[in-house]
Structure formats: C-alpha cells, structure tokens
Amino acid sequence: MIREEEVYKIGKLGKTHGVKGEISFLFDDDVFDRVEADYLILMVDGILVPFFIEEYRFKSDSNAILKFEDIDTQERACGLTGCDVYFPRDLADSDEDTMSWAEIVGFEIIDANTSKSAGRIASVDDTTINILFELEDGRLIPASEELITDVDKDNRTITIDIPDGLLEL
C-alpha cells in the first residue's frame, strides 16, 4: 500500500483527449520526464494507485497528453478526470539543493531561532517574485534563500531563520 508521505503531488488530470484513452495532464513538476518514470500514482477514491505510462507527449511547459496502459477508451479515461497525480519521493532526481516547490509540500518548517516547529507547508505561492510557504494554518513564511538555513530531505524539514514577530501576525 502506498502511503501519502512516500509521494508528492505533481499535478492533476484534466479532460480526455480523443477516443483511445488519452487524457490531459496539467503538471507543476516534470520529474516524470526527467527520470523516465514507468508509472505515476493517482488518487482514486481516496486510495493511491499506480498507473503505468504507455506514452506521453508535451503540449506546453505545464500540459501533457498521457496514455496509461489498459486505459483504451474515452469512457475509461473519463473515469480518471480530475484525479490528483503524485510521484514517488524515492524516484525523484533531486537533492536538498535542487528540490522542486511541489516536492516540499508537506515538509515541516522549523524556526532556527527556537528549534520549534512553525507548522507544515500546505502549498507554495510562487506567483510573485517573493515566494511564500503557506502553512496548514494559513500563515505565510517567506521562502527566501537568505532565510533558509537547512533542508533535510530525509526528515522532511526545512529550517528557516524566521524574522522576529512574523509568526505572531
């Protein structure tokens, strides 16, 4: 059984494409192409299920057309529409210096000043030049390289020198 801490979300399946089981894949991280993955993991009815990739082609920098093995009709592909797509952390090609924003969702933020947890990363807002970690409780922490003192991929923690008073806002 695949556990959520073993994977990270890289995108979502969109509409079907054609009648032979192809489906649109909107992704935030192209790790599946960089490491030539054999499968992706889909969240189907609350369960993480591996689906083997038959083929794919890119439509843009954030959209691809996927064809999974044994998904041969538009109807079967339609059943996957809207599924979140995950990638196994142990197959990712990154290290502490090259992790994608998608890969750090779920990491614990540790305040370098107190060594205490500030919370878990729910999402990363990279829509502006000032990238922010949004914690599960809604608080925002700057993701500035100058403030990050340590990234521990194995323990899924990021230690940040959080400016005084920021956590009280």
Side-chain angles (χ1 to χ4, degrees):
M1 185 163 149
I2 302 169
R3 297 188 324 250
E4 286 196 49
E5 57 269 8
E6 297 172 342
V7 298
Y8 66 98
K9 184 178 174 184
I10 62 169
K12 189 175 197 92
L13 295 180
K15 298 187 287 186
T16 59
H17 184 83
V19 296
K20 296 186 179 183
E22 293 181 320
I23 192 164
S24 175
F25 173 36
L26 304 168
F27 57 89
D28 300 320
D29 188 339
D30 67 351
V31 64
F32 65 96
D33 184 53
R34 293 192 314 265
V35 300
E36 297 184 24
D38 293 329
Y39 66 96
L40 295 173
I41 298 168
L42 306 183
M43 180 69 78
V44 180
D45 297 329
I47 300 171
L48 294 168
V49 181
F51 281 78
F52 286 86
I53 302 168
E54 187 172 305
E55 64 182 9
Y56 63 89
R57 63 186 180 280
F58 290 98
K59 286 182 67 177
S60 71
D61 290 343
S62 61
N63 192 354
I65 301 298
L66 275 177
K67 171 76 173 72
F68 291 114
E69 290 181 7
D70 301 322
I71 305 294
D72 298 325
T73 66
Q74 183 178 16
E75 292 75 25
R76 292 199 64 196
C78 190
L80 302 176
T81 298
C83 285
D84 289 332
V85 180
Y86 295 83
F87 195 79
R89 289 185 186 278
D90 62 341
L91 295 181
D93 61 345
S94 62
D95 57 26
E96 280 84 355
D97 295 327
T98 62
M99 293 175 66
S100 70
W101 293 125
E103 195 171 352
I104 63 169
V105 170
F107 276 42
E108 191 83 18
I109 297 291
I110 305 297
D111 184 349
N113 302 308
T114 65
S115 299
K116 293 183 180 178
S117 172
R120 192 170 306 279
I121 299 172
S123 66
V124 177
D125 181 352
D126 62 351
T127 58
T128 66
I129 195 165
N130 297 317
I131 298 170
L132 299 168
F133 296 136
E134 182 176 353
L135 303 183
E136 290 175 342
D137 64 7
R139 291 182 295 172
L140 300 172
I141 305 287
S144 170
E145 285 185 31
E146 293 82 32
L147 298 177
I148 297 173
T149 61
D150 184 54
V151 176
D152 185 340
K153 185 176 179 180
D154 294 330
N155 292 315
R156 299 183 54 195
T157 62
I158 298 175
T159 305
I160 299 180
D161 186 10
I162 299 173
D164 289 336
L166 184 66
L167 295 176
E168 284 77 40
L169 294 177

